[in-house]
Each structure stands twice: as structure tokens, then as C-alpha cells.
Amino acid sequence: MSSLQDQLKSLGFNVPEKHDDETSEQPDNSVDTSQPVRIQRQTKGRKGKGVTVIFDLPDNPDLLAEYASALRKTCGVGGAVKDGTIELQGDQREKAKQWLEQRGFKAKFAGG
């Protein structure tokens, strides 16, 4: 049985040949996880409603949006990215800490 590429060539399709010596350039997605991430519950200015705020994450807007989306899905709540922090509705400190530690961050609780 011939390979898929051979079959496509016999049907008249142009199949680009893949060279093993070509290396694909991938951007360096390494994230500095050495700095501790602070997790705090705040109610000030929110009419008594509590939110979980995550500080000291890397200053990459795309990465913050990706992390916020994953945390919202993990915790099952709404949230947003504001001023370089991630805000999650309600008290989600334990879930957020567990999620961050699974990704190699050193998370600690801040505030009272």
C-alpha cells in the first residue's frame, strides 16, 4: 500500500515535501515562575461582593487573558483582567492557588 503522499501525487495534488533538517522557529514561551504570585480576596468598592484578585503575574496581556480564561473555567465563575491583575468573582483563593501551583507558580495568600 502506498503512502498518503504518493496517493495524493497520483491524483495530481502538489504535496510539499517535508525536510527533516528544517527547524521550525517557535517563540520562547517560558514564563518566569520564580516570583511568588499573591492571591487576595477584596470587597472594597464592590458593595460587599467579594472578588479574588491575583497579583504579580507576568506582564504579558495575551498570557494574562489566557490564564484568566482558564481560571474562570476551572472555578466556574466570571472574571476579568484589569490593570495587570486577574479578578475572579467570589472567594476562589483555594482553587486559584491549586491551579497556579500546577503550572509551576509559587502562590501565596496576601491580605487578611
Side-chain angles (χ1 to χ4, degrees), residues 51-69:
V51 297
T52 302
V53 183
I54 303 172
F55 299 96
D56 298 334
L57 286 166
D59 287 338
N60 182 340
D62 296 331
L63 189 64
L64 282 177
E66 181 182 320
Y67 284 175
S69 176

